[in-house]
Amino acid sequence: MARPKTLRLVGHETDRRTLVLCGIASALVGCAYPSLLTSSNASNRAKLQTLELQANGRLGAYIFDTANGSGFGWRENERFNHASSFKMSLAAMILSNAENGFIDLNEILRWTVDDLMFVSPVTTVNVDKGLSVRDLARATLVTSDNTAANILLRRVGGPEQLTRFWRSLGDGFSRLDRYEPELNVTPPGTELDTTTPFAMAHSTAKLIQGDALTADSQSVLRGWMAEVRTGRDRIRAGFPSGWVSGDKTGTGIGDHIHTYVDIAFGSPIGRPPIIVAAYFEPAALAEPIDRRATAVLAKVGRIAAESI
C-alpha cells in the first residue's frame, strides 16, 4: 500500500524562510495556503504569553501548521507531564506494529478483575471474554480506558517501547517510563513521563499527516481522535464548528501539581490540519476537574484557529 508523501516537519526557526520556499517551490505541500509570517507568529506567541498571565499558571503550547511547516508557541521547549495524552501515541504505535507484522490487531488479550483500574469503562464490562488488540487500542484512545492502556503496554514490552516509537519519529524528548496510574505525576527533579509541546506537536503531525503510518492507519487514528468526548471543552472548543477535528486529552491530578493536557488536530474541510499541543498547570488547585483550566486550553485552540 502506498504511503502518503513525506511531510517535512520544521520548527519556528525556519519561519523566516517560509515565503521564499513557497515562492521557489510551489509544488511543496501547503504553499497554496496563506503562510504564517514571522511577525504574525510573534504576535500569536504574545497572545499565548498573555493568556498564561491571565490564567495564573504555567502554560506550554505549540501550534504547528502542516500546510506550510510554520509554527509558534510559548514554553514550547519546557517539559510537561503527558497524563493520558500518551494514549494517542500508544494507539498509533499499535497500528504501526500491525502494519509491520509485529502484532495482530485481531489477537484477543485477557485480564482479570484485579487488573481493573478507575476510568476503565470498556475493559470493566469485558473481563469475561477479553478484547482484540484493535478494540483495546480504540478504547485506550477514545474512552481513555486506563486498564486497556496498561494491557497494551505490557503486550508490547513496557512503556520504554513507546519511548522507542517516539525516537523512531525523530522525537528525542518524549518519554514514557511507568504504567497507569503512576505516570500521571512526574516526581520533582525528574523527567519521568514527560514531553515538550514542540516535540509532541511534531510527532502528532507525523502520525496523522506525515508518512509514519499508512493512509489507512492514519484514517483509523484520525477517526478515533474524532470520537473522543473528553476534549469537547478543551482545544476543540476553540475551533470553528465546521472544522474537521480530533484530539486526545490528559488530566494529571497530583498533590502539588495538576496538569491539563490536550493534543488536537483541526482544519476547514480540504485544508491540511493545524496541530495543537497544549499543557496547563494552574497555580490554584481544584478537584475533580477545574473548568477554568480546561477553558485555558479552549482559548489556545481559538488562538490557533485565528492564526490561519
Side-chain angles (χ1 to χ4, degrees):
M1 180 178 297
R3 290 179 180 268
K5 291 182 179 179
T6 299
L7 176 66
R8 183 169 179 264
L9 300 177
V10 294
H12 54 78
E13 69 275 14
T14 63
D15 292 345
R16 292 172 295 179
R17 300 198 301 269
T18 301
L19 286 179
V20 175
L21 288 174
C22 286
I24 64 175
S26 59
L28 292 178
V29 173
C31 287
Y33 296 96
S35 175
L36 294 179
L37 304 178
T38 301
S39 59
S40 296
N41 284 344
S43 174
N44 287 321
R45 181 178 178 86
K47 291 178 182 178
L48 293 174
Q49 181 183 15
T50 300
L51 175 59
E52 179 188 66
L53 291 172
Q54 294 173 341
N56 188 26
R58 185 170 76 115
L59 171 66
Y62 194 76
I63 291 86
F64 179 69
D65 191 347
T66 66
N68 53 44
S70 180
F72 63 91
W74 176 252
R75 299 192 190 277
E76 66 267 35
N77 293 313
E78 296 184 18
R79 286 190 173 272
F80 294 84
N81 184 269
H82 291 286
S84 285
S85 66
F86 81 91
K87 293 169 182 172
M88 182 277 293
S89 295
L90 175 58
M93 183 180 72
I94 295 300
L95 294 172
S96 176
N97 284 355
E99 291 174 1
N100 291 290
F102 300 140
I103 198 168
D104 181 356
L105 292 178
N106 295 316
E107 177 186 353
I108 301 298
L109 300 181
R110 299 183 183 279
W111 56 95
T112 69
V113 172
D114 291 337
D115 295 318
L116 293 174
M117 302 180 57
F118 65 98
V119 190
S120 296
V122 177
T123 50
T124 296
V125 297
N126 286 283
V127 175
D128 294 337
K129 64 177 183 178
L131 287 170
S132 69
V133 169
R134 178 187 289 104
D135 288 340
L136 286 167
R138 180 186 178 279
T140 295
L141 201 166
V142 176
T143 70
S144 206
D145 193 298
N146 288 321
T147 303
N150 281 351
I151 292 169
L152 290 176
L153 285 172
R154 293 191 177 98
R155 172 62 182 81
V156 299
E160 62 271 19
Q161 295 303 321
L162 185 52
T163 301
R164 290 176 182 173
F165 180 65
W166 281 318
R167 298 295 177 271
S168 75
L169 301 176
D171 180 346
F173 296 92
S174 302
R175 57 184 288 177
L176 196 72
D177 301 273
R178 297 168 296 168
Y179 292 89
E180 290 281 7
E182 291 79 13
L183 60 83
N184 289 282
V185 179
T186 298
T190 76
E191 296 181 345
L192 298 180
D193 307 300
T194 60
T195 186
T196 70
F198 183 90
M200 189 49 58
H202 282 77
S203 288
T204 301
K206 289 183 178 179
L207 292 172
I208 72 164
Q209 187 72 12
D211 63 353
L213 298 173
T214 64
D216 285 348
S217 291
Q218 282 184 345
S219 179
V220 171
L221 184 65
R222 289 194 298 265
W224 286 345
M225 292 177 73
E227 290 185 65
V228 171
R229 303 296 180 187
T230 54
R232 294 305 173 90
D233 62 346
R234 301 193 184 191
I235 291 172
R236 295 168 77 183
F239 289 166
S241 59
W243 277 26
V244 176
S245 65
D247 75 309
K248 180 66 193 87
T249 61
T251 306
I253 304 298
D255 292 334
H256 305 290
I257 296 178
H258 292 181
T259 306
Y260 292 83
V261 187
D262 200 13
I263 301 167
F265 71 87
S267 67
I269 296 174
R271 185 197 192 278
I274 54 172
I275 309 297
V276 186
Y279 305 75
F280 181 61
E281 297 172 349
L285 307 185
E287 296 185 36
I289 295 292
D290 186 349
R291 298 304 174 189
R292 294 168 299 179
T294 59
V296 171
L297 300 183
K299 291 176 182 177
V300 173
R302 188 174 303 115
I303 291 170
E306 291 172 350
S307 74
I308 64 170

